[in-house]
């Protein structure tokens, strides 16, 4: 590796200090380092040109921001756990330097995570496209009012939810908002999607794990204010009649890993006990 980008959380003292120490350590080994926050990369994407690796030092929010910068070019991301739960990371500060040495010596493996594409249509007009690592969320914008959303799978009507919202999540996102809403945990190696209603009223259609090729169409059937959020970002307003089509993306997000994939279950059990 010749050039490494390090993303840190500017609101975390641990992230700031550990990332500075790591940057200095890597420079001593002759590696070109860029260190900064995700906003700088969004404003100046050429920062990541010729980078061989991105190291995300923080919680899952920091990893999500780093991943959104990395997956368009296929740049692999190494998440380092410095947050509360850090479901996406497998190593923390204690294993960091030994792990980096392993990677510099050609060790580790690529963990390809599924992404999802979402398209917003309004009165037959294409409005916007989105890509998510965790989830696409259709939710209410007013605390006191639920929304009415029709859900179809591969063109066949499933149900109409009267709910606070509906989540379509990847396997990676199954341990995020979808889990908090009562959805299933999916092995991160899976390409399946999870459909999870949020606080649905009077329904007998629970959370579902969908085939990796499924196309989910969510149609707004109420006038109550609603919005769409991608990985917790955006909150673009939706109107009655709007359609959101969600499917697995042809692209993937690549994480660099050091431990065997089966360690996911051991780590998961430990994190859920917190």
């Amino acid at each position: 590796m010749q050039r490494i980008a390090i993303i840190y959380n500017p609101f975390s003292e641990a992230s700031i200090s550990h990332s500075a120490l790591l940057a200095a350590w890597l420079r001593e080994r002759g590696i070109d380092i860029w260190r900064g926050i995700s906003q700088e990369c969004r404003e100046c994407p050429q920062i990541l040109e010729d980078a061989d690796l991105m190291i995300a030092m923080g919680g899952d929010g920091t990893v999500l921001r780093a991943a959104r910068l990395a997956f368009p070019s296929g740049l692999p991301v190494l998440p380092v756990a410095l947050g509360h739960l850090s479901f996406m990371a497998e190593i923390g500060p204690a294993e960091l330097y030994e792990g980096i040495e392993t990677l510099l010596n050609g060790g580790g493996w690529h963990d390809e995570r599924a992404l999802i594409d979402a398209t917003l249509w309004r009165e037959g007009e294409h409005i916007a496209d989105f890509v998510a690592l965790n989830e696409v969320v259709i939710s209410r914008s007013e605390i006191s009012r639920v929304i009415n959303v029709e859900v179809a799978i591969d063109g066949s009507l499933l149900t109409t939810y009267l709910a606070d919202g509906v989540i379509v999540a990847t396997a990676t996102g199954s341990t995020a908002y979808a889990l908090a809403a009562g959805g299933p945990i999916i092995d991160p190696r899976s390409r399946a999607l999870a459909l999870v209603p949020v606080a649905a009223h009077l329904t007998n259609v629970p959370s579902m794990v969908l085939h990796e090729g499924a196309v989910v169409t969510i149609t707004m059937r109420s006038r109550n204010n609603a919005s769409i959020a991608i990985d917790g970002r955006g909150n673009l307003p939706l109107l009655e009649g709007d359609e959101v089509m969600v499917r697995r993306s042809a692209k993937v997000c690549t994480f660099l890993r050091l431990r065997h994939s089966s360690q996911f279950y051991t780590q998961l059990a430990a994190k859920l006990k917190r």
Side-chain angles (χ1 to χ4, degrees):
M1 295 185 187
Q2 302 298 317
R3 189 164 190 268
I4 295 176
I6 300 175
I7 299 288
Y8 66 91
N9 180 353
F11 302 105
S12 165
E13 288 298 328
S15 181
I16 294 169
S17 59
H18 281 294
S19 63
L21 290 170
L22 176 61
W25 185 85
L26 288 168
R27 288 191 181 105
E28 289 176 357
R29 282 149 183 80
I31 297 174
D32 183 23
I33 297 298
W34 177 86
R35 172 181 169 270
I37 61 175
S38 59
Q39 180 66 29
E40 295 174 76
C41 288
R42 287 195 294 272
E43 294 174 350
C44 190
Q46 59 266 35
I47 285 172
L48 299 179
E49 289 180 1
D50 301 322
D52 301 304
L53 171 66
M54 177 181 288
I55 302 176
M57 306 189 69
D60 284 342
T62 302
V63 177
L64 270 175
R65 288 187 285 273
R68 293 186 66 83
L69 295 167
F71 62 65
S73 63
L75 181 65
V77 178
L78 175 68
V80 179
L82 290 169
H84 175 58
L85 286 177
S86 298
F87 274 106
M88 296 184 193
E90 63 173 13
I91 65 170
E95 311 106 314
L96 177 58
Y97 294 95
E98 180 181 352
I100 295 290
E101 286 278 16
T102 298
L103 295 177
L104 294 179
N105 291 326
W109 57 282
H110 283 185
D111 177 13
E112 293 187 346
R113 296 292 184 92
L115 301 171
I116 45 181
D117 291 331
T119 305
L120 171 61
W121 297 85
R122 179 170 295 156
E123 296 181 348
E125 181 181 353
H126 176 221
I127 301 298
D129 292 314
F130 313 94
V131 181
L133 172 59
N134 268 1
E135 74 276 303
V136 174
V137 179
I138 311 297
S139 62
R140 63 182 184 177
S141 298
E142 298 179 4
I143 293 177
S144 60
R145 294 180 181 271
V146 295
I147 56 174
N148 192 318
V149 288
E150 179 184 285
V151 177
I153 310 294
D154 295 335
S156 296
L157 178 65
L158 172 68
T159 191
T160 299
Y161 288 116
L162 190 65
D164 287 356
V166 176
I167 303 168
V168 182
T170 62
T172 301
S174 71
T175 53
Y177 186 15
L179 178 61
I185 295 175
I186 303 175
D187 188 305
R189 295 169 293 186
S190 173
R191 297 292 187 260
L193 303 178
L195 174 67
V196 183
V198 182
H201 298 253
L202 302 176
T203 180
N204 58 358
V205 180
S207 300
M208 299 176 65
V209 177
L210 307 178
H211 184 270
E212 63 179 42
V215 178
V216 183
T217 303
I218 302 171
T219 306
M220 288 296 304
R221 294 302 186 197
S222 64
R223 296 185 178 89
N224 297 339
N225 292 338
S227 62
I228 179 172
I230 309 298
D231 288 341
R233 296 166 54 88
N235 294 311
L236 183 70
L238 296 176
L239 306 178
E240 182 181 11
D242 282 0
E243 288 188 352
V244 179
M245 297 187 68
V246 185
R247 68 186 75 200
R248 182 173 62 88
S249 176
K251 296 181 179 179
V252 297
C253 179
T254 302
F255 291 119
L256 269 183
R257 301 297 190 190
L258 295 163
R259 298 174 181 164
H260 192 276
S261 58
S262 63
Q263 289 296 304
F264 165 76
Y265 296 99
T266 301
Q267 290 184 298
L268 176 66
K271 288 171 181 176
L272 290 178
K273 289 178 181 177
R274 293 183 182 181

